[in-house]
Amino acid sequence: MEYFKICGGKKLSGQISVHGAKNSALPILASTLLIKGESVIHNCPDLSDVRVTLDILKSLGCKVKREKSTVLVDASVVDNNEISEHTMRTMRSSIIFLSALLSRQGSASIFYPGGCEIGTRPIDLHLKAFHDLGADVSVNGSSINACATSIIGTKIILPFPSVGTTENIIIASAISKGKTIIVNPAREPEISDLADFLNHCGAKIYGAGESTIVIDGVKRLDACEHTIIPDRILASTYMSLGAVCSKELTVKNIRQSHLSPVFPVFTEMGCKIYLSDNSLTLVSPKKLKRVRSIKTMPYPGFPTDSQSPVAVALALAKGTSILQETIFENRFRYVSELNRFGTDIEIKDNIAVINGVDKLHSANVNATDLRGGAALVVAALCANGESNIYGIEHIDRGYENLENALSSIGADIKRSKNEGETNAKASKKEIE
Ligand code: EPZ
């Protein structure tokens, strides 16, 4: 099993670049199924979740090619409408193919993606939306079969601005009869990026990023080229790292507006943020200040995906901070591993009480999920001494070549392989 070997305690500095957004690439790649031609997607990150998505497209009959950060998907021929249960459980966001297959093939056979480390991840809102759009959806155990002779536009009021559900409705109704109106949609930038891609292909999607989205169904879409937006969650992870491990760090390839929900937290911690066109420079104070209270919310609120790396910064701030998670029921699972580094974080229900400490010490830990794993990397880079982080397959889902990116700003981090040690418990080194 691979693991990260990190020698922490070094001051990092320089410039680090942000790659394309995972949570934009996945729905956009799935939606290329709607197009009988070759879509060209630039700035597509090379992540394990993206590779699974490209494998699904190939299994459905598409021709897929990657040229550096550009991916070409030719969906002229699609001759399959099934996705295996193993694949669905490997990457639960493959639920996004339900809309693409229904639209292209008129039917889809998939499976319940199942929960993951951060929550049960139900799909009730997705299934109800497909029903509202005129699809016949049957669930039998863990298998889901859906068919629709044609998708009929309708008004859908979402009780919660679910990102995946909003994306599934947009993809399902881009090619359809009539008009679909989504009330209370998710407003994340990734929704707007998906709408931009589909509109470049000839769709008529209005109001993405706002409180109501209107989709005038069209008959067909034509292939186009599209550049994926920068990954705002990766950028906020680098900002958290900069806040605790560097005096000054420049993060390149950002969209300022996408990061506006996190800027106030870093300025309240005492960081100075200097913005230029598509980059920011974060200057950190000698000692970070606590943040009285942070609550994760749907965009444009503070993102749930940014909370774990920010928790590391707060763990080294002066004073006590309160971090409330409102999106996922189990998103603090990383805290027990984080406390092995000497942080002092107590969890009560969905609230983390973070008591700042002076410094962290090395530890051997297991990553349990993608963003929690990133937080452990940040902690290991702050901690004096050598730490090992196991379970980095979680991290590889959303952070491309993280060790190379971090090495470019002076981090001492290596990807190692050791058949024997599969997790922190098996490692020889005494766990603190
Ligand atoms: C997307 O997940 C992202 N994943 C997540 O990022 C992100 O944390 C989340 O949106 C919130 O911003 C991708 O885009 C691939 P939701 P998604 O539907 O679509 C409940 C990462 O680290 N819900 O907005 O699954 C659900 O249980 C990942 O990059 C239902 O109850 O999020 C959760 O509590 C993690 N029924 C809340 O809504 C449903 O049918 C948010 O879910 C659907 C969702």
Side-chain angles (χ1 to χ4, degrees):
M1 291 295 272
E2 291 187 328
Y3 62 99
F4 282 146
K5 189 183 283 293
I6 294 173
C7 190
K10 299 179 184 337
K11 270 292 168 210
L12 308 181
S13 65
Q15 301 189 347
I16 191 164
S17 283
V18 171
H19 56 60
K22 166 180 84 82
N23 293 348
S24 194
L26 302 183
I28 285 175
L29 288 170
S31 71
T32 59
L33 268 184
L34 275 56
I35 295 136
K36 292 178 180 148
E38 184 176 70
S39 302
V40 182
I41 311 296
H42 300 297
N43 199 30
C44 186
D46 188 7
L47 304 163
S48 52
D49 272 9
V50 169
R51 291 194 284 275
V52 171
T53 300
L54 296 178
D55 287 344
I56 291 173
L57 287 168
K58 280 187 266 187
S59 73
L60 299 173
C62 300
K63 291 196 188 77
V64 171
K65 201 163 54 179
R66 176 181 278 275
E67 292 164 0
K68 296 196 176 135
S69 66
T70 294
V71 166
L72 299 96
V73 180
D74 185 340
S76 305
V77 175
V78 174
D79 52 15
N80 182 12
N81 73 344
E82 295 182 10
I83 299 176
S84 74
E85 183 159 23
H86 171 72
T87 302
M88 293 293 300
R89 296 188 72 86
T90 308
M91 189 184 72
R92 52 169 318 286
S93 49
S94 34
I95 187 73
I96 200 67
F97 277 94
L98 186 48
S99 53
L101 280 170
L102 262 184
S103 175
R104 178 63 188 266
Q105 299 288 77
S107 66
S109 290
I110 64 168
F111 292 87
Y112 253 95
C116 67
E117 305 74 23
I118 63 177
T120 50
R121 313 292 293 272
I123 58 169
D124 54 312
L125 300 180
H126 295 252
L127 301 183
K128 183 175 180 315
F130 286 116
H131 177 268
D132 293 348
L133 287 164
D136 180 21
V137 183
S138 62
V139 177
N140 183 3
S142 64
S143 73
I144 300 170
N145 291 292
C147 61
T149 38
S150 63
I151 298 287
I152 314 291
T154 185
K155 181 175 182 178
I156 299 175
I157 300 173
L158 288 180
F160 177 86
S162 157
V163 170
T165 305
T166 303
E167 290 165 346
N168 254 332
I169 297 169
I170 289 173
I171 295 172
S173 50
I175 298 176
S176 67
K177 292 193 175 86
K179 183 193 292 278
T180 295
I181 298 171
I182 312 173
V183 179
N184 190 33
R187 297 167 54 188
E188 275 71 2
E190 292 76 29
I191 304 283
S192 301
D193 203 25
L194 172 64
D196 288 347
F197 167 66
L198 291 172
N199 283 341
H200 288 163
C201 298
K204 292 182 177 162
I205 303 163
Y206 312 104
E210 292 161 30
S211 54
T212 302
I213 295 177
V214 176
I215 302 123
D216 279 336
V218 295
K219 287 197 172 55
R220 54 171 282 190
L221 295 177
D222 295 312
C224 77
E225 290 198 41
H226 181 78
T227 300
I228 287 175
I229 58 173
D231 194 315
R232 62 193 170 96
I233 305 301
L234 174 61
S236 69
T237 304
Y238 286 155
M239 290 175 74
S240 299
L241 176 66
V244 287
C245 285
S246 79
K247 280 202 193 68
E248 184 172 313
L249 182 69
T250 295
V251 182
K252 292 167 52 183
N253 306 332
I254 61 154
R255 285 277 180 84
Q256 292 180 22
S257 60
H258 297 172
L259 288 167
S260 49
V262 301
F263 286 155
V265 166
F266 286 93
T267 42
E268 193 176 340
M269 279 196 265
C271 296
K272 295 259 185 295
I273 300 170
Y274 300 96
L275 297 169
S276 73
D277 299 347
N278 65 348
S279 70
L280 67 83
T281 296
L282 187 101
V283 178
S284 320
K286 261 207 171 45
K287 185 73 180 166
L288 293 169
K289 288 185 275 186
R290 66 100 182 243
V291 173
R292 186 179 306 282
S293 164
I294 302 175
K295 191 173 174 182
T296 64
M297 295 292 283
Y299 195 90
F302 184 85
T304 174
D305 296 344
S306 298
Q307 63 102 322
S308 49
V310 161
V312 182
L314 296 172
L316 284 162
K318 184 173 171 29
T320 296
S321 307
I322 302 292
L323 177 53
Q324 184 179 358
E325 169 61 42
T326 69
I327 307 293
F328 291 107
E329 67 270 27
N330 197 18
R331 199 135 210 196
F332 285 126
R333 206 165 146 219
Y334 65 91
V335 167
S336 56
E337 292 298 290
L338 191 55
N339 281 337
R340 289 179 184 282
F341 286 103
T343 55
D344 176 5
I345 304 175
E346 297 156 61
I347 304 297
K348 291 176 189 137
D349 298 330
N350 65 344
I351 290 179
V353 178
I354 305 173
N355 303 304
V357 297
D358 285 338
K359 60 182 187 321
L360 303 183
H361 53 71
S362 61
N364 292 331
V365 292
N366 296 315
T368 52
D369 69 279
L370 165 55
R371 307 303 175 184
L376 297 178
V377 171
V378 175
L381 288 168
C382 302
N384 291 314
E386 190 177 282
S387 301
N388 292 327
I389 298 180
Y390 298 88
I392 60 175
E393 64 279 6
H394 292 290
I395 301 172
D396 288 337
R397 287 185 46 223
Y399 295 86
E400 180 181 336
N401 228 327
L402 186 59
E403 66 273 25
N404 286 4
L406 296 176
S407 301
S408 73
I409 53 172
D412 182 347
I413 173 172
K414 290 186 184 52
R415 181 182 291 259
S416 306
K417 196 174 271 206
N418 187 320
E419 299 320 320
E421 290 179 347
T422 53
N423 61 43
K425 289 191 180 54
S427 68
K428 296 175 191 56
K429 208 171 140 209
E430 190 53 39
I431 293 174
E432 277 76 9

